[in-house]
Amino acid sequence: MHKQGRKLIIIGVILTLIALFVAYQPAQAGYLTAMSDTMSRMKESIAADHTIKFTTVSAVDPGDTMTVIFPTGFTIGSVDHTDIDLEDDGTDLPLAATPGTGAGSDLGAAFSGQTLTITENDTDSIAAGSVITIEIGLNATYGVAGDQQITNQTVAQNNTDPVIVLGGTFGDDGKLAVEILSDDQVAVTGDIDPTLTFTISDTTIGFGTLTTADIYYATGDENGATVEPGANLPVNLVVSTNAASGAAITVQDEGDGSAAGLYKATTPTHRIDAVASNTVAAGTEGYGVYGKGASGLTIDEKFNDDGAADGPITRAAQTFASSTGPVSSADVDLTLKAGISGITPPGNYADTITVICTGIF
Amino acid sequence: MKRAISILSLSGLIALFICSLAFPIQAQERTLTISPLIVEESLDPGQGISGVFKVRNDSPSKVTVSISLKDFLPKGEKGQQIFLSPEENDTTWSLADWICITTPSFNLEPKETREVNYTVQVPENAEPGGHYAAIFAEAKGEKPEEGTVVLARAKLGCLLLVTARGDIIERGNIEEFSTSKNIYSAPPVDFAVRFKNTGTVHVKPRGDIKIYSWTGRLQTSLPVNEKMGNVLPVSIRKFEPQWTPTFALGKYKATCDLVYGTEAKELSAETSFWLVPWSIIVIAALVIIFIIIIAKTIDIVPQGAKRRLAELERRLRKKERK
């Protein structure tokens, strides 16, 4: 009987203790999770914005505080509640210097020394497991836009006090390491060379066999034609440059070494003189050079074949076409036409035209 | 026999046809890229420098590139050049003889780039002032075949502008500052600024054109030679800014202020012009005239009311007589 009684008493005490333990669970302070402080600048001794984030373990009850303690090297200056924003799971909460009264009223946010204390009002609470975001500085744009920032400590001070401490009466706490740098910006440079690209689509063109009946145009197949070659024919000149002043194409004729023209080197030698392109006519000797189909380039007055101020190609270099600024794949067609008379000596005639492309100085 | 000749002739024609197919005339495209385009240096007599000039073959096939030199002088008023043959060289401005190229000729595969080293050695007795030459890269083409054929040779040039230091003269003037018209009926207003270099070395005149209304109020400021183009000695360079206001009316004054040279010498010039948008004025005048005509033709006071007024006045006068 005594033994059974003692057993019962012991069991009862144990059960009572268990019950007390289950019934009474004091609020457990937690270690904050997912903590971070993103700063707009990490360089020492300059002003920067802070975006401090953490996830609570405990709830923030009415009247509870959350604190952020900055290392002693940071200069708080005149940062106040207008330079601070507080978000609870992405929702901005109203702030004032002191907490308000009633549901939806302000939370208090104020610095005292290095410590920012955020005080919940007397009615509302922040649920446990909330993601809290505290913005301090010019990034605090809810309500009144922030105009004050905290100044970073120096690199030397990193060694003595490198931690932002999170805490408050709500019970959770945590620490954030701060690493201030001597410089947080990297100068990036790159060089782009000025370049000039020039394409000549065909270096050998020919008139074929000329007769007095027609004007002949040089073609890429060297057979010649009695109609003007189409677009991009017979020689398409293409220019690309990133030079600010643009580029110029000049042309220079070889002729017979003393004058421009189509030259027959075999005895008896003969030269079909270079003339203005618009004056070349069937049955009359003449050799003309002109430009057509320009895109991105301006053909010089002498070579635009419009009958006004047209001129012959010469042994001296003359501007054929040009641009006034950078161009990409600007082009113009170099076109040749010729006519012969009834007394033009038969034989093979040839010429060399040098096409020069340079920048504009 | 006849049949044999016909077969032979036919065979010959077929053979000729096949040959023409086997050896079609190929277009010979040549594409080269060079860098840089313009090199500017200032050197003491006796001083030398070295530089690099890059050539890239952007043609679809291998090319042989030859490097050559030619002096140049300015041509026209837009920064273009005329290249001089050795016989035409003017030693006052000559530079080609001071340049040495290490690699005068080389082959380039497609997309291959070659660096061409060059040196510029200014003689001890060099004439102070500007000296100008071009380094050319030419992709050689095939020689002309039989028939009336034209060979087109393509060259790209890098321009060298070298100042031989010493007793140089930086001098220039605004040869002309004007607008293309005295009276514009609509924008744009075309300005011409012609700077004449009367010194011995190239300079970069730059500045702005300020435009004032007839009340003296500044309307806008246009940059002149913001691309920093050079004006070579004994030549004129023309700059052509444009003004395109949204709306403008009346007489305007424009002042051109330039600085040039190492000592930032200043030049100024003025001009004036009228902007009279005739079409707008004519339309406005027509509208006003139309309103006046309408106002005169339409009776503002209705006829009925006039009669009533007249009756009241008559009764009033009658009462007054009594």
Side-chain angles (χ1 to χ4, degrees):
Chain A
M1 184 65 181
H2 280 295
K3 279 188 183 174
Q4 277 188 341
R6 274 208 295 274
K7 276 186 186 173
L8 284 171
I9 290 168
I10 291 167
I11 290 168
V13 169
I14 291 169
L15 286 173
T16 302
L17 286 170
I18 290 171
L20 284 171
F21 180 77
V22 170
Y24 177 67
Q25 286 285 347
Q28 291 288 327
Y31 197 70
L32 295 167
T33 62
M35 293 176 288
S36 66
D37 180 13
T38 304
M39 296 167 63
S40 60
R41 294 295 305 273
M42 304 287 290
K43 186 175 179 179
E44 61 180 347
S45 305
I46 67 167
D49 298 331
H50 291 257
T51 303
I52 299 170
K53 287 188 177 180
F54 53 85
T55 301
T56 64
V57 175
S58 311
V60 181
D61 293 326
D64 274 349
T65 63
M66 293 185 289
T67 57
V68 179
I69 305 174
F70 285 85
T72 52
F74 283 78
T75 304
I76 306 302
S78 52
V79 173
D80 63 15
H81 68 278
T82 62
D83 309 301
I84 301 168
D85 281 351
L86 175 69
E87 288 179 18
D88 171 15
D89 288 330
T91 302
D92 277 294
L93 301 179
L95 299 178
T98 53
T101 302
S105 62
D106 298 327
L107 284 75
F111 268 98
S112 175
Q114 301 301 113
T115 304
L116 167 64
T117 302
I118 295 175
T119 309
E120 180 62 279
N121 63 37
D122 65 356
T123 307
D124 295 322
S125 60
I126 296 172
S130 294
V131 175
I132 301 298
T133 303
I134 302 172
E135 292 170 326
I136 306 172
L138 306 181
N139 56 341
T141 56
Y142 179 71
V144 176
D147 60 0
Q148 298 296 320
Q149 295 172 294
I150 297 172
T151 302
N152 293 341
Q153 65 185 13
T154 64
V155 172
Q157 288 167 321
N158 279 341
N159 298 326
T160 53
D161 192 358
V163 175
I164 293 176
V165 177
L166 305 173
T169 60
F170 77 111
D172 296 343
D173 57 41
K175 292 181 182 176
L176 282 165
V178 177
E179 186 69 21
I180 297 301
L181 308 171
S182 57
D183 200 345
D184 60 353
Q185 293 176 328
V186 177
V188 177
T189 59
D191 288 328
I192 298 177
D193 285 336
T195 60
L196 173 64
T197 301
F198 183 51
T199 299
I200 183 167
S201 66
D202 197 346
T203 55
T204 309
I205 54 178
F207 288 97
T209 301
L210 290 86
T211 71
T212 56
D214 292 289
I215 295 172
Y216 282 79
Y217 295 85
T219 57
D221 61 8
E222 300 175 30
N223 293 328
T226 54
V227 294
E228 185 182 71
N232 301 328
L233 296 172
V235 180
N236 185 232
L237 307 174
V238 185
V239 179
S240 296
T241 183
N242 56 1
S245 297
I249 299 173
T250 58
V251 290
Q252 187 173 12
D253 194 72
E254 177 65 23
D256 64 359
S258 63
L262 279 169
Y263 179 56
K264 175 176 167 293
T266 54
T267 305
T269 62
H270 186 72
R271 184 183 68 241
I272 300 173
D273 287 331
V275 299
S277 59
N278 68 307
T279 65
V280 174
T284 306
E285 274 194 11
Y287 169 55
V289 174
Y290 67 99
K292 66 175 177 65
S295 171
L297 296 171
T298 302
I299 302 173
D300 191 83
E301 268 293 313
K302 279 192 76 172
F303 296 107
N304 60 6
D305 198 43
D306 65 354
D310 289 349
I313 191 171
T314 65
R315 282 180 47 79
Q318 301 169 93
T319 302
F320 182 72
S322 61
S323 74
T324 56
V327 288
S328 176
S329 300
D331 72 320
V332 63
D333 298 333
L334 176 69
T335 313
L336 283 62
K337 58 182 180 181
I340 60 171
S341 72
I343 58 171
T344 302
N348 294 325
Y349 289 74
D351 188 21
T352 298
I353 296 176
T354 301
V355 187
I356 302 169
C357 189
T358 56
I360 305 284
F361 60 72
Chain B
M1 186 61 174
K2 280 188 182 177
R3 191 176 172 187
I5 292 170
S6 297
I7 291 171
L8 277 172
S9 301
L10 183 60
S11 303
L13 282 170
I14 292 171
L16 192 64
F17 179 68
I18 291 171
C19 285
S20 68
L21 285 179
F23 304 104
I25 293 172
Q26 300 281 354
Q28 299 176 40
E29 181 196 307
R30 296 285 184 269
T31 302
L32 292 183
T33 298
I34 62 164
S35 177
L37 281 72
I38 299 173
V39 174
E40 296 186 43
E41 295 286 352
S42 185
L43 302 170
D44 292 317
Q47 185 181 1
I49 55 140
S50 58
V52 171
F53 167 65
K54 295 181 189 175
V55 183
R56 187 175 78 229
N57 176 18
D58 286 311
S59 310
S61 56
K62 184 170 91 172
V63 297
T64 301
V65 177
S66 67
I67 305 296
S68 58
L69 300 165
K70 272 199 175 174
D71 289 321
F72 75 86
L73 288 176
K75 181 177 170 64
E77 298 185 355
K78 297 191 177 179
Q80 295 161 9
Q81 312 92 43
I82 180 167
F83 300 100
L84 307 177
S85 61
E87 310 83 57
E88 296 168 320
N89 272 359
D90 183 341
T91 54
T92 305
W93 319 110
S94 179
L95 175 62
D97 288 342
W98 302 355
I99 302 173
C100 180
I101 303 288
T102 55
T103 318
S105 180
F106 48 88
N107 292 327
L108 279 181
E109 297 292 337
K111 302 305 176 192
E112 185 182 358
T113 300
R114 179 77 172 253
E115 289 189 351
V116 178
N117 295 302
Y118 65 89
T119 56
V120 179
Q121 182 64 49
V122 179
E124 291 282 354
N125 60 347
E127 186 166 345
H131 296 263
Y132 313 103
I135 302 176
F136 287 112
E138 177 184 350
K140 292 285 191 185
E142 300 295 326
K143 288 184 181 177
E145 299 173 2
E146 293 292 318
T148 300
V149 180
V150 177
L151 174 68
R153 298 167 59 188
K155 287 183 172 181
L156 278 92
C158 167
L159 306 178
L160 275 73
L161 288 71
V162 172
T163 299
R165 294 194 193 114
D167 191 17
I168 62 173
I169 301 171
E170 290 181 334
R171 186 174 57 210
N173 60 277
I174 298 178
E175 187 77 355
E176 177 188 344
F177 175 50
S178 64
T179 52
S180 58
K181 293 188 267 192
N182 287 327
I183 304 175
Y184 290 85
S185 58
V189 175
D190 301 308
F191 290 95
V193 181
R194 297 173 68 232
F195 177 90
K196 183 174 183 178
N197 185 345
T198 55
T200 60
V201 68
H202 49 282
V203 293
K204 297 178 198 284
R206 65 261 179 219
D208 59 21
I209 294 173
K210 289 187 172 59
I211 301 173
Y212 300 89
S213 67
W214 63 275
T215 61
R217 190 174 174 183
L218 177 67
Q219 301 295 296
T220 192
S221 177
L222 306 173
V224 176
N225 193 21
E226 57 186 333
K227 295 177 182 176
M228 300 296 279
N230 284 289
V231 186
L232 268 57
V234 198
S235 73
I236 294 174
R237 183 82 181 254
K238 186 178 184 181
F239 306 102
E240 297 173 292
Q242 272 188 343
W243 181 43
T244 311
T246 309
F247 177 77
L249 171 65
K251 185 174 181 180
Y252 292 86
K253 183 181 84 169
T255 60
C256 177
D257 297 299
L258 301 179
V259 293
Y260 71 95
T262 53
E263 296 173 6
K265 295 180 180 177
E266 297 178 349
L267 297 169
S268 292
E270 271 188 24
T271 190
S272 63
F273 57 94
W274 286 81
L275 243 171
V276 184
W278 295 112
S279 56
I280 296 173
I281 291 172
V282 166
I283 291 171
L286 285 173
V287 169
I288 292 168
I289 291 168
F290 180 72
I291 292 171
I292 293 170
I293 291 171
I294 296 295
K296 283 190 179 294
T297 359
I298 294 175
D299 260 333
I300 296 173
V301 181
Q303 290 296 331
K306 280 187 181 174
R307 282 198 292 273
R308 178 90 177 132
L309 257 170
E311 176 64 24
L312 286 170
E313 282 176 352
R314 191 185 64 77
R315 287 183 186 178
L316 188 62
R317 281 197 293 273
K318 198 175 177 182
K319 276 193 177 172
E320 283 174 353
R321 273 189 234 117
K322 285 182 181 174

